[in-house]
Amino acid sequence: MSAPQAGSVRFRPSPEARGLRRFTTPRTPRPEQCELCGAPLADQNHRHLVDTEKRALACACGPCAQLLDRSGGGPRGGRFRAVPGRCLSDPGHLIDDTAWEQLRIPVGVAFFFRNSALDRLVALYPSPAGATESELDPSSWQTVLAGTRLAELMEPDVEALLLRRQSGRSECFLVPIDVCYELVGRMRLHWQGFDGGAEARADLDAYFTHLRDRARDVQGSGRP
């Protein structure tokens, strides 16, 4: 297959879909376990690690997260990075209709993160198949990234720029990467028909309401 020309668009299911398994795969009720050592995880708000080699999320107990997290003083060259908890909003962003149209994404939600293994930005959006990658020329993203200071705060692999476009208005958040995959998993579970259906839209509204309540305004937060 020949490579797409500059400016062309090709969509395909993303390898990051493996990170959705914990949100979409029906499982027999049982206590959560650390995926690294097998220890029980009593707290539903346990840590997640990003496996940068497999491009997947792993549930982790506190000791494993501290031991293996290379971003927090773990083994040099290690493949795991702990997902942080911060969530920021940028009400003053400059992402307008023109910037959104350049993304040429068929739904009103998208997220971006920097993949350190690939050494490039990755853009994905929810679909009935899960997280789908938009293979735009990276120059098409620059207007979006330049429209918010959140882009320069984003940590590789573990944080994402999450955008929502609704009724002519855009919202912009910096979130932990597992927030994005949870959102994609929920959309996949509720999706019906061509446009997702009323249930998926209601769940999406509820999810972003919770996100707004959780997020701090970047203008007043300083540089975390």
Side-chain angles (χ1 to χ4, degrees):
M1 179 179 295
S2 61
Q5 297 179 353
S8 64
V9 186
R10 182 159 58 93
F11 301 116
R12 62 177 173 82
S14 166
E16 271 76 12
R18 282 173 291 184
L20 298 176
R21 289 174 182 167
R22 70 200 72 261
F23 303 120
T24 61
T25 304
R27 291 180 288 179
T28 302
R30 62 178 181 176
E32 287 265 31
Q33 293 181 317
C34 174
E35 296 180 45
L36 302 167
C37 72
L41 298 173
D43 186 1
Q44 291 185 348
N45 296 318
H46 54 261
R47 301 291 299 276
H48 284 139
L49 294 174
V50 171
D51 185 330
T52 59
E53 292 182 6
K54 295 183 178 180
R55 299 172 67 183
L57 287 170
C59 295
C61 64
C64 282
Q66 185 173 5
L67 176 66
L68 296 175
D69 175 21
R70 75 181 191 200
S71 61
R76 292 190 63 183
R79 75 191 207 194
F80 293 99
R81 296 195 66 190
V83 177
R86 69 175 176 174
C87 183
L88 302 175
S89 65
D90 184 10
H93 70 80
L94 302 176
I95 302 172
D96 56 15
D97 287 341
T98 300
W100 186 266
E101 288 171 2
Q102 288 182 7
L103 296 177
R104 298 165 67 185
I105 287 176
V107 295
V109 177
F111 62 97
F112 303 78
F113 73 97
R114 179 165 291 283
N115 185 303
S116 60
L118 300 177
D119 192 26
R120 67 175 176 86
L121 282 167
V122 178
L124 302 110
Y125 63 90
S127 77
T132 300
E133 183 171 349
S134 171
E135 296 189 348
L136 285 171
D137 187 297
S139 63
S140 301
W141 304 339
Q142 296 311 309
T143 302
V144 172
L145 299 178
T148 173
R149 73 175 282 207
L150 294 178
E152 67 185 40
L153 299 177
M154 185 168 56
E155 294 291 334
D157 301 310
V158 295
E159 291 184 316
L161 190 66
L162 176 61
L163 306 178
R164 187 189 187 192
R165 185 68 175 165
Q166 183 185 37
S167 303
R169 178 174 173 268
S170 296
E171 294 181 278
C172 183
F173 301 91
L174 178 69
V175 298
I177 193 68
D178 52 6
V179 166
C180 297
Y181 288 131
E182 180 182 0
L183 173 60
V184 172
R186 289 170 62 149
M187 290 295 96
R188 186 178 181 184
L189 287 173
H190 295 297
W191 197 288
Q192 294 181 350
F194 177 76
D195 63 352
E199 185 178 359
R201 289 192 294 272
D203 189 71
L204 185 65
D205 288 341
Y207 201 78
F208 272 89
T209 295
H210 172 73
L211 193 58
R212 291 184 207 104
D213 292 340
R214 174 181 173 182
R216 294 181 294 131
D217 187 340
V218 68
Q219 302 299 331
S221 66
R223 189 180 182 95

